[in-house]
Amino acid sequence: MDRYGMQNQIACIRRSLFDQGYLDEQFIQLEELQDDANPNFVQEIVTLFYTDSTRLIQNIELTLTSRPTNFSKLDDYMHQFKGSSSSIGAKKVTSECAVFRQYCAAGNAEACIRSFQHIKQEHAILRKKLEFYFQMMGQAAVAQTT
Amino acid sequence: MNVSSVKGSMSISSSTSTWKAGDTISDQFPAGLRVLVVDDDPTCLMILEKMLIACLYKVTKCNRAETALSKLRENKNGYDIVLSDVHMPDMDGFKLLEHIGLEMDLPVIMMSADDGKQVVMKGVTHGACDYLIKPVRIEALKNIWQHVVRKRKNEWKEFEQSGSVEEGDRQPKQSDDADYSSSANEGNWKGSKRRKDEEEETDERDDTSTLKKPRVVWSVELHQQFVAAVNQLGIDKAVPKKILELMNVPGLTRENVASHLQKYRLYLRRLSGVSQHQSNLSTIISAQDPTFGSLSSLSGLDLQTLAATGQLPAQSLARLQAAGLGRATAKSAIPITLVDQRNIFSFENPKLRFGEGQQQHMTNKQQVNLLHGIPTTMEPKQLVSLRHAAQSVGNMNMQVPPHGPQSSQNNPLLMQMGQQQQQQQSRGQILVDSTINHAPRLSSMGQPILSNGMATNVSSRSGIPENIRAPGYSQTPSMLNFPMNHASELPGNCFPLGSTPGVSNLTSKGAFQEDVNSEIKGSGGFMPSYDVFNDLNQHKPQSWELQNVGIAFDSSQHSNSLQGNLDLTQSALGQQGFSSGQMNGHNRSAAVASKAMFSTGDVKELRSAQNVNQHLNNLLVDNTIRVKSERVCDTSPANIFPDHFGQDDLMSALLKQQESVASSENEFDFDGYSMNNIPV
């Protein structure tokens, strides 16, 4: 694929991420922070997010499966998770977190479990999409240098 | 204080030259601002760090609160501002906030993904100078330097005003930290230290009131000396005089020690879970302790706290003080509370609100002093509000005292209201305060207002200005009502609150609202000014005006609104049914208010906030008297101005003046008589 073709494709991928609601403008804030001094800033942040959130997800799962359900702990974790995901602009993930917290506040363990499944799904979907996106960007960068 | 004397003691040339150097630095300011950011979330931490670097700040990051505290302790003067997350595993963000406030007295900004009102309120009550909602945008971080400047300004002002530093034409710049530090707190005059970085201030410093004493910054070492002295004497026997002797710190006054002692006692009490706020509060109120003037770093944080809680109970006050003071809260909760409140007010206002000019800070400070003398009968909440009011009102409050307990209550409120925009928040508080005085009703009302005020801050931070404001705004009516209640307490008609009218107003907020068109502000009569503040935040100049009916319109806010206010005021006044139930009085107050408003607008030229504050203080005292006389001879409004009503009017007028003054950055050279002269 030629250079411009790749650029266009990347732009399209990026646009669709926003259009489909996977990312919000906070992601743009991250992009704006990227500069020559930190050329891979966005990717670094996303990587960091996924490393950290995986750990959080594990904790939440453990807490969800233990009985009696510790809602306040769940809320704490989810609050953290929500803060994290919102800071990278993960729109769908963040809104699912909000839903979870509502159920949690209501003490509805069943709904929490279901909601958490959604969160994990969105989390995984976004990860794939972003990985693909970064991959394309990497390829385009390589293509540019060749 | 005379600047000249200070100058004499200080090497002016050096200070000047220092200033010059500072000028260079200030040109680059806020670049290089030293920020400490604390967040347990690594993603957020990294993003914040990058953003702060992009803002050209010097960033240090920590992922644990304990680490942050130790870093701060190691390098006491190594940071200008702290950004902290609320939810952290090892220590609650608010706890950290308190520690920092007590030990280092740095401005602290809280962050959280949680935008719930309670949490934000908590931030305020604990003394945070701002609250950011995650995800944090870089735009929000670009302006955090304002809190640093504001705080320094306030500290500076306090310092200047406390009397150890001669004021007058002293230029803030000249008060080189080196000079001051040697005279007072060696090496720890944050105010002076930061001063260099401050950009303006000279204007404001001119003609600063000499009422205030220089602010003592209680560094860790100083505090340790203090604690050692106290322990040596025995906590029960520790009296300021002896402590002062034991500490043997040049430049430290008995009042400094006394206020610090109060805070410390509060702090200890808080630690041990004892709360004597109630008793303290009463004490504070009645104790027009001069130490109030020398408030420690009880800055806006306290105020915020107060504001947040609205009816801050004694305990919370103490807590606030501890938090906001950054030093041990005084034992006597009350006096300190009051003082702190004031400080809070002053500080808060600037911080909370709107990054208004430094002047506001200054005015706040002055106001704080005012609080001293204010209402002794105020309940803790009231104190809180007073503080706010005091801060915002600045001098207004002080002036009130001469009028007697009641008037003092009102006055401070009024005064506070009049003060700057910051006062808006404080105003809200004032309203709250007034309400507190009066009745439980007030408290409930006050709260909403406070939250509004607070919310305003927060919202602006988080970019949700409208949302937050709105609720607050509506609450204003309640605030208004408070004043009404307040009036009931006052003898005569001091406040429109009057007993009956006010009360009824409270209950029938709606009624007021009808009258008032806009928010209920008008209903409050005098208190409206308080509401106005809230409303102001809300951007409803109109409602604001109504509130200002009693209080000078915050001219800084909107000159237009002044006009509008007047009208509203008039109507509001009429509606409000002043306590005295005198329409005449109402009209008069409205008229007065309008005049005051106008005059405020005219007076905008006055620059030094301090002057204004001072002036206000003087004015208030004079004004109350003059207003009366003026009213009497005022032909435009109904001349049927009952004497007792005059008090209310005076208060409102004063408040207005205060407000306008405050808002207009003390440009308002308010002369008691100016009201008449205001070209309406």
Side-chain angles (χ1 to χ4, degrees), chain A residues 112-128:
Chain A
C112 282
I113 293 172
R114 278 199 309 273
S115 172
F116 188 61
Q117 296 307 319
H118 290 156
I119 292 174
K120 283 195 292 185
Q121 275 170 16
E122 291 297 340
H123 185 255
I125 292 171
L126 180 64
R127 180 189 215 150
K128 290 248 164 32

Side-chain angles (χ1 to χ4, degrees), chain A residues 25 29 33 38 79-80 84, chain B residues 40-41 50 87 137-138:
Chain A
E25 62 168 8
Q29 291 257 314
L33 286 173
N38 297 74
H79 174 85
Q80 215 173 330
S84 240
Chain B
D40 64 313
D41 184 331
K50 191 74 180 62
H87 286 82
R137 298 174 61 87
I138 193 170

Side-chain angles (χ1 to χ4, degrees), chain B residues 63 74 98 148 172 218 222 228 250 364 421 457 463 596 618 651 661 679:
Chain B
N63 63 354
E74 273 168 32
E98 278 188 23
V148 177
W218 283 88
L222 197 63
N364 284 336
Q421 301 175 359
N457 265 339
N618 301 327
M651 305 272 266
V661 172

Side-chain angles (χ1 to χ4, degrees), chain B residues 104-125:
Chain B
M104 294 113 204
D105 189 33
L106 282 175
V108 182
I109 297 179
M110 303 304 293
M111 303 178 290
S112 179
D114 201 347
D115 60 352
K117 197 171 79 165
Q118 303 303 331
V119 185
V120 175
M121 185 69 84
K122 212 172 163 194
V124 171
T125 56

